[in-house]
Amino acid sequence: MQPPSQSWALMLLLGLCAARTDPERRRNVLLIVADDGGFESGVYNNTAINTPNLDALAQRSLTFRNAFTSVSSCSPSRASILTGLPQHQNGMYGLHQDVHHFNSFDSVRSLPLLLSKAGIRTGIIGKKHVGPEAVYPFDFAYTEENGSVLQVGRNITRIKLLVQKFFHSQDERPFFLYIAFHDPHRCGHSQPQYGAFCEKFGNGETGMGWIPDWKPQYYNPDKVQVPYFVQDTPAARADLAAQYTTIGRMDQGIGLILEELRTAGFHNSTLVIYTSDNGIPFPSGRTNLYWSGTAEPLLISSPEYPARWGQISNSYTSLLDLTPTILDWFSVPYPSYSLFGKRVVQLTGKSLLPALLLEPSWATVFASQSLHEVTMHYPMRAVQQGPLRLIHNLQNRTAFPIDQDFYVSPTFQDLLNRTQAGLPTHWNKTLHSYYYRERWELYDHATDPTESHNLAFDPQYAHVLAELWGLLLKWQWETDDPWVCVPDGVLEDKPSPKCRPLHNEL
């Protein structure tokens, strides 16, 4: 963690002393995470969708415009959020459930583990999607591990009642409550009867069940805002319209949760954070390290520091920063320990609390992806410094993999069908260019916000590529990345960690 400024440290110390002596000012955290959520909200200038509760939260928050996940995959991202460590360092290389069966390393010290040991009550409602239990323990837990993920992650009435239960059973300890929505994740692969995005679940129609607190909103596909990385076709527009309906359900759920926070009397002592785990499940979104796959919404609302409520931060932040931020809020130190007898684990993220007072100059974020589903080994590493983004595709000679969930989606099937029929796709890429990528991709968002022109082989950008590659390698070594030598060499640890060349002509 980067140390805050001296002035910030003094203010924080005074605030902490007051919090410890005044029970009504005891500090708490409410972390709300969307599932495959994006910028479909009024907060981020989407005027086609109605999200009054997120919009209202933004009025009491600092809104980050350059926040990024460190990995564009569900379980790895959640593990990174809850540990402050990238997926290659915490061990959650891919999805946790079923045959994928990835887990974080047994000795990783997660956020809920550290908070519990510090006397802070921990709770989770919704999609957990990480393991093992010993690494991610919660005092209060209603997840897919002990119930239906549809009920704890999409049924906003059920979520509201569970939040009530948590608050009504709250003792004298501060609390960390993690609400992990399953909305607006696709469900065409797992529960197709409810629609592509489970937009019919709980709408009151025959066989769909009924969520009492939800007032479904339906959208005209002709009126949705099509992101630049999605093809503009009737099928994709209808897909986006279904996504909007599901986002609306989550937004109403957020409103219910915040009302319960207020009713319980915790609204003036609770740091509220809203974000998402990875990019939206559309082309170039989830499982990609492009801007469209890693850029995330991020709202942070502090009742103690209203100076920047309603303002926008353009500083570059990572979801790896959330663990340092929450530890900083609670004044809980990060422990000294190592993994596999290697160097002492250091958080490479920073506390975001200083940004609630003054705009910082943060400009660099990193990303690391290895798998999604167990069959999808396509390791990538990336660094963004200001407008410049470098992506290293470590095994670019193989085709970029497509996950089961996205494959059956109306949007991807539309791309397949149009490509096979030789029809215009109305997309900014071709399937061939999407599958087969250059080893290095370099984009300048200042002149190319849609990442359409790869500058990696432009001689004028050779020094930029070299500088960014150096930054990326430094971060990989600092975080003990097992893939640091791929694809040109083999990592040998003894006598000291070093890349040994393969001479494999890559």
Side-chain angles (χ1 to χ4, degrees), residues 30 32 159 163 167 179 181 253-261:
L30 173 63
I32 303 173
I159 295 169
V163 170
F167 288 150
I179 308 291
F181 279 95
I254 290 172
L256 295 172
I257 293 165
L258 294 178
E259 182 58 33
E260 292 300 326
L261 185 75

Side-chain angles (χ1 to χ4, degrees), residues 80 83-93 104-105 108 320 334 337 339-340 343-348 368 370 381 475-483:
S80 295
T83 64
L85 307 177
Q87 57 84 21
H88 64 251
Q89 189 176 21
N90 73 57
M92 188 71 72
Y93 302 143
S104 290
F105 300 132
V108 166
L320 291 174
Y334 193 71
Y337 72 102
L339 296 171
F340 309 113
R343 76 182 80 209
V344 173
V345 173
Q346 300 283 342
L347 295 178
T348 57
S368 164
S370 299
R381 302 295 184 263
W475 180 72
Q476 288 183 263
W477 282 111
E478 288 175 347
T479 55
D480 292 315
D481 187 355
W483 281 265

Side-chain angles (χ1 to χ4, degrees), residues 220-288:
N220 183 340
D222 293 336
K223 300 295 178 63
V224 301
Q225 290 185 10
V226 181
Y228 72 85
F229 50 91
V230 177
Q231 76 269 28
D232 193 348
T233 64
R237 283 181 168 272
D239 215 11
L240 287 164
Q243 179 208 31
Y244 279 22
T245 296
T246 308
I247 291 170
R249 180 170 57 210
M250 180 187 68
D251 180 79
Q252 292 178 37
I254 290 172
L256 295 172
I257 293 165
L258 294 178
E259 182 58 33
E260 292 300 326
L261 185 75
R262 179 175 296 275
T263 300
F266 295 121
H267 60 290
N268 285 326
S269 59
T270 301
L271 183 74
V272 178
I273 303 172
Y274 168 76
T275 189
S276 181
D277 55 350
N278 46 247
I280 64 175
F282 284 87
S284 297
R286 186 187 63 197
T287 75
N288 287 270

Side-chain angles (χ1 to χ4, degrees), residues 20 23 32-33 42 139 207 244 255 257 264 270 297 321 327 367 371 393 410 417 426 475 481 488 501:
R20 287 166 179 161
I32 303 173
V33 176
D139 300 322
Y244 279 22
I257 293 165
T270 301
D321 299 332
L327 290 177
L371 298 101
N393 297 308
N417 294 336
H426 305 285
W475 180 72
D481 187 355
D488 308 289

Side-chain angles (χ1 to χ4, degrees), residues 5 7-9 11-12 62 302 304-309 311 352-360:
S5 66
S7 59
W8 167 257
M11 295 182 67
L12 186 60
L62 179 62
S302 168
E304 297 181 19
Y305 305 105
R308 300 197 68 192
W309 282 3
Q311 294 185 18
L352 300 180
L353 295 184
L356 303 182
L357 285 176
L358 296 171
E359 178 70 0

